Amino acid sequence: MVRIGVIGTGMIGQAHIRRLGTSVAGARVVALHDSDPERAESVATSLDGARVYPSGTDLIAAPEVDAVLVSSWGATHEPYVLAAIAERKPVFCEKPLAATQQACSRILDAEVAAGRRLVQVGFMRRYDPHYRALREVLASGSIGRPLLMHAAHRNPSMPTWFTGDMLITDSAVHDLDVARWLFADEIAAITAYTPTRAARAPEGWPDPLVLLVELAGGALVDIEVLGNARFGYDIRGEVVGEDGTAELSESAGAVVKRAGAVRGPLPATWLERFDAAFDAELRDWVDTVRAGGPPGGPSAWDGYAAAVATDAGLAALHSGARTVPELGDKPDLYRAQ
Ligand SMILES: NC(=O)c1ccc[n+]([C@@H]2O[C@H](COP(=O)([O-])OP(=O)(O)OC[C@H]3O[C@@H](n4cnc5c(N)ncnc54)[C@H](O)[C@@H]3O)[C@@H](O)[C@H]2O)c1
């Protein structure tokens, strides 16, 4: 049984805690911390014997905690992930791994110095059955060499605390990670385009936004981000290869053709669309922690590369210029993954 301490008991923290208690075998949440202690206390009432810690670092150091799950706000992740590495404890960190390229780089340095991979980042799309099926088609070679990808990330609305820049750092970050993962390649350049602002978008937001992403191997990925689509949560992906195309299937529900019309389900939110993916990522993380091995999911390098890409995306958005990210060399620790 892996005894888990959770830092950040807000929306996704509570969703992960529920999953760890219901759909993930071999795990128990034993410790909680939130900068809002009342919130942590109220979440603790639903858990048998979970203790609330006054600080995240106390929780990480506690002998009763085998592994740490960080789901506080992105800008607060770095010190917690560094403390977990210092304690040699496995840590699952929600995306973003940390707020900037420099902060992620400090995490890479710490993990490399520790000599083993301890960090998994919450890019759950890599566990989504539809994305996995798409990746299998690419790996099979059946559509030939992939040349292009068209991706769309349409959100019904954005939380009140969101900013325009977060369309890149919090939304497009998933699509940027998917592009790296599907093509097994790194991002070589990004250009940002902002067409006419949607009437429903807040003043000054780049909504909609299109990122044109050049991969090092020459493939091109266009990512549309729409923050205030209203009609539902709509995630698209189509890869164009030399010999055919492969498209992300949209959802698990049946498509019904009847009375001259076609109807199918459209998820209302990301929690619904990626429900199975969240289950699978936590199961996999807990299984690897129990086995004592390195995590099998997105690594600190993936979190770092995504932060490099979002920094470049922001620079492209604010300058209007094609921006080349400075990724640097991949440490040996991450070469075999
Ligand atoms: N994988 C995904 O698709 C996905 C989806 C939603 C959120 N997230 C990520 O999860 C994280 C949390 O998002 P959320 O929507 O749950 O936010 P939230 O505001 O609902 O919850 C965050 C919690 O962290 C607490 N907190 C803030 N600073 C803290 C600190 N220094 N120490 C301890 N606790 C602190 C807050 O009090 C709050 O309870 C973010 O990094 C977000 O990007 C990922």
Side-chain angles (χ1 to χ4, degrees), residues 7-14 16 33-37 39-40 56 70-77 79-80 92-96 122-125 159 161-162 166 169-170 173-174 233 270-271 274 278 281:
I7 298 174
T9 56
M11 183 174 55
I12 202 159
Q14 290 179 37
H16 286 329
H33 167 71
D34 195 289
S35 55
D36 174 351
R39 177 172 279 180
V70 179
S71 47
S72 52
W73 295 323
T76 70
H77 293 174
Y80 296 135
F92 178 96
C93 180
E94 256 313 331
K95 60 83 190 161
F123 287 126
M124 78 298 178
R125 286 189 186 190
W161 43 267
F162 234 69
M166 289 171 86
T169 58
D170 263 58
V173 65
H174 283 294
Y233 185 71
W270 50 269
L271 265 174
F274 288 111
F278 284 118
E281 76 170 350

